[in-house]
Amino acid sequence: MKVYDPRTKLVVVIALSSLGVVIKDASLLALVLVVGIIVSHHFGASMLRAYHRLKKLLVMLFLIAVLQSLFNGQGEALLVWGNFTFLTTGGLMRGLEFLLRMAIVLLSATIVATADEREMVQGLVQSKVPYELAFMVSLGVRFLPMLAQELQDTMVALQLRGIELKKIPWRSRLDTYVYLLLPVLVGTIKKAEAISLSMETKGFRARHRRSSYRRLRFATRDVFWMVGSTMSACMLLVLYWQ
Amino acid sequence: MDVLRFESVSFSYESEASLIEDISFSLDKGTTTALVGLSGSGKTTICYLACGIIPRVYDGTVKGKVMLFGEELPSMHPERIAGKVGIVFQNPETQLFLPYVEDELAFGPENLCLEPREIEHRILSAMEDVGIESLRGERTNTLSGGQKQMVAIASVLTLQPDILIFDEIMSQLDQKSKTKIRVLIRRLQQQGKTILMVEHDFENLKLADRVLLLDGKGLRVTDGEVVL
């Protein structure tokens, strides 16, 4: 599999998601989605893994799409009960558009996920994004598993004291969440403080600029994809608006 | 010749009682000094003062003088301090914040704006000193606690500091990892590094040329023998 510059992936993702957001036509959105699937596959994204990871989110999105479809007065009635029109062709299209749009956005995320995080930070830095900002984004992503672990540990500590969250009434459960979230919050702040101390002692922001041990360089294929995706997106938008 | 000197140093956070009071000591070049004392006696505060975290990060009232290579430490630029004093903390988890070992080692030299070739040289040199050449391409979150601490030490060594401060670096490690770190400390001593180590473990005190005891009343020099 060819290795692409993360900046190339970012440009492709921006092109795809812009189309997904701007276009309000189901057939065109479907076309963008198909192109997105091919591109995502080319960049080595694993859609099956993404599906397994996002299964719950997908179900939620589907339910939102169903809700958006209902009670929409536009178009011909498809499902009527007494005086109430539940589903119309307009509503169905609206729900479908929503689903396609979200699928394009999620697909774009799978393309970004194929980029190595350190290369992504370097790519952002070389794109003139301040290092502090790019680094904080990367650190934030790395912090999530830490936070999940902290939450898990506190949950186990609560269970060891005889509190089974699933078996207690809602009101008591809400009170218990305070005991759960407070140590997690304090622990996270302490960890963040310790990390910042470690960074400070290694000269972080001691100078106005810093050097980079690794440099990313565009290959011909990167230029091809960046120019190609930008031009294709622009052309499609021009045709759509006409 | 002393490389670090505390002259009647006291420190307190705003409107709180003093954490340390009238502390004076100095570290001679190439020596290893252990700092012992009960919890809350101010050992970590001394470490923070010695590497400039206090007053740069933590506000408070500092009395007396902390001299680094004859200069008043608080007036020195953080970049110069980072090149002279390196500190390794107790918890290895919070000292590694980048995805790969080599990124972690490059972080300090990159902050000092060194050339990529020089950074590469320093990474290789630090990995060789610590004996972690095989870990270069590893993800930091897959390492064991001992390996993480070794990487944390190597990441400080890439800044090539003259003084190393080890704040209870072995307290969370297993015996095997502790042995490795002790061997590493001996190697650093042979290289002429000046080491200040905060310790609770009597076994590790054998590494020190001198032991300083913080007993709540001040600092006592015990010259290798500790009676608590």
Side-chain angles (χ1 to χ4, degrees):
Chain A
M1 194 180 62
K2 290 185 181 76
V3 178
Y4 286 93
D5 190 296
R7 289 168 290 180
T8 308
K9 292 176 183 176
L10 275 179
V11 170
V12 172
V13 161
I14 290 168
L16 270 174
S17 46
S18 303
L19 290 172
V21 171
V22 173
I23 292 172
K24 290 180 173 62
D25 178 89
S27 52
L28 263 183
L29 281 172
L31 177 72
V32 174
L33 181 65
V34 171
V35 172
I37 290 170
I38 296 166
V39 171
S40 169
H41 181 72
H42 179 78
F43 280 117
S46 169
M47 266 162 281
L48 197 68
R49 205 170 64 184
Y51 167 75
H52 285 297
R53 278 187 166 186
L54 302 170
K55 223 188 276 182
K56 282 181 185 166
L57 180 70
L58 291 175
V59 172
M60 207 167 79
L61 290 176
F62 183 75
L63 287 174
I64 294 172
V66 170
L67 281 174
Q68 286 212 349
S69 305
L70 298 174
F71 310 114
N72 186 305
Q74 292 171 338
E76 291 173 29
L78 290 172
L79 190 63
V80 182
W81 190 33
N83 289 333
F84 290 103
T85 305
F86 283 102
L87 188 64
T88 61
T89 49
L92 195 64
M93 290 310 279
R94 202 171 157 194
L96 191 64
E97 279 167 22
F98 171 78
L99 268 186
L100 288 167
R101 192 166 292 127
M102 293 317 294
I104 292 166
V105 171
L106 291 177
L107 203 69
S108 303
T110 64
I111 296 173
V112 175
T114 60
D116 186 289
E117 61 189 278
R118 62 174 163 175
E119 289 195 341
M120 186 57 87
V121 170
Q122 185 59 27
L124 291 171
V125 169
Q126 285 181 226
S127 307
K128 306 291 178 207
V129 173
Y131 176 77
E132 286 83 355
L133 197 67
F135 177 72
M136 287 308 154
V137 171
S138 141
L139 195 62
V141 172
R142 283 175 62 74
F143 227 76
L144 288 177
M146 250 192 207
L147 199 67
Q149 185 62 48
E150 192 93 20
L151 202 66
Q152 183 80 29
D153 292 348
T154 316
M155 188 86 95
V156 171
L158 278 178
Q159 282 172 342
L160 287 171
R161 283 161 177 78
I163 297 169
E164 190 62 71
L165 272 177
K166 284 179 185 167
K167 290 181 182 168
I168 57 176
W170 270 103
R171 208 185 161 84
S172 314
R173 200 183 293 188
L174 284 175
D175 291 339
T176 315
Y177 278 125
V178 176
Y179 298 116
L180 182 69
L181 293 177
L182 209 62
V184 172
L185 190 69
V186 172
T188 308
I189 290 170
K190 277 186 177 256
K191 269 185 185 153
E193 189 185 6
I195 287 174
S196 73
L197 280 189
S198 184
M199 286 163 59
E200 282 279 338
T201 54
K202 287 174 189 159
F204 186 62
R205 294 201 301 179
R207 279 181 164 223
H208 291 301
R209 53 188 286 270
R210 67 195 299 277
S211 57
S212 289
Y213 164 60
R214 65 180 66 242
R215 295 293 295 176
L216 298 174
R217 284 186 179 82
F218 285 125
T220 315
R221 59 176 175 273
D222 289 304
V223 179
F224 169 79
W225 272 96
M226 285 168 84
V227 174
S229 57
T230 310
M231 284 182 69
S232 308
C234 290
M235 276 163 62
L236 196 65
L237 284 176
V238 169
L239 286 172
Y240 171 70
W241 278 320
Q242 275 181 351
Chain B
M1 175 203 165
D2 58 25
V3 288
L4 180 74
R5 196 166 68 245
F6 276 53
E7 291 176 11
S8 305
V9 178
S10 303
F11 174 75
S12 63
Y13 288 109
E14 298 301 336
S15 69
E16 281 182 26
S18 288
L19 283 171
I20 54 167
E21 190 109 33
D22 197 24
I23 297 292
S24 298
F25 71 93
S26 62
L27 301 184
D28 287 336
K29 190 173 166 47
T31 58
T32 299
T33 304
L35 190 57
V36 297
L38 297 174
S39 297
S41 58
K43 303 185 294 293
T44 298
T45 305
I46 288 178
C47 293
Y48 285 179
L49 281 159
C51 66
I53 290 177
I54 295 174
R56 203 170 72 237
V57 180
Y58 293 125
D59 283 337
T61 310
V62 183
K63 287 178 190 161
K65 281 182 184 172
V66 180
M67 308 292 285
L68 182 64
F69 288 92
E71 271 184 79
E72 273 205 53
L73 195 140
S75 64
M76 288 172 77
H77 193 272
E79 181 189 346
R80 287 191 60 219
I81 300 173
K84 289 186 186 301
V85 189
I87 181 165
V88 184
F89 300 98
Q90 186 177 11
N91 185 358
E93 297 291 338
T94 53
Q95 292 175 87
L96 308 183
F97 36 81
L98 288 162
Y100 292 92
V101 170
E102 67 173 342
D103 297 338
E104 206 61 62
L105 302 193
F107 181 78
E110 282 178 337
N111 288 334
L112 301 188
C113 214
L114 300 177
E115 290 294 318
R117 196 179 294 175
E118 174 62 16
I119 297 174
E120 172 68 20
H121 169 71
R122 288 193 179 200
I123 290 174
L124 287 174
S125 166
M127 283 195 307
E128 200 182 309
D129 284 345
V130 180
I132 53 162
E133 293 95 325
S134 60
L135 301 180
R136 180 171 182 155
E138 297 290 322
R139 289 192 81 95
T140 49
N141 57 3
T142 60
L143 304 178
S144 69
Q147 286 174 325
K148 280 181 182 170
Q149 200 59 294
M150 295 289 237
V151 173
I153 295 171
S155 71
V156 168
L157 290 180
T158 54
L159 293 162
Q160 298 185 339
D162 301 289
I163 304 168
L164 289 163
I165 300 173
F166 296 143
D167 189 0
E168 294 186 56
I169 59 170
M170 291 182 252
S171 63
Q172 295 187 5
L173 305 182
D174 57 37
Q175 277 308 322
K176 200 175 158 190
S177 303
K178 279 183 183 176
T179 309
K180 278 186 183 171
I181 302 261
R182 281 182 200 126
V183 171
L184 170 62
I185 290 175
R186 285 203 185 92
R187 206 178 307 149
L188 293 169
Q189 288 171 328
Q190 283 162 9
Q191 287 176 9
K193 297 282 184 195
T194 307
I195 300 171
L196 175 66
M197 47 196 273
V198 171
E199 269 306 331
H200 278 306
D201 189 337
F202 278 78
E203 188 63 30
N204 297 334
L205 295 182
K206 289 177 188 165
L207 293 163
D209 304 310
R210 187 172 62 140
V211 178
L212 303 177
L213 174 66
L214 265 172
D215 61 0
K217 294 170 197 153
L219 198 64
R220 220 160 3 118
V221 181
T222 61
D223 288 321
E225 200 176 320
V226 181
V227 183
L228 290 174

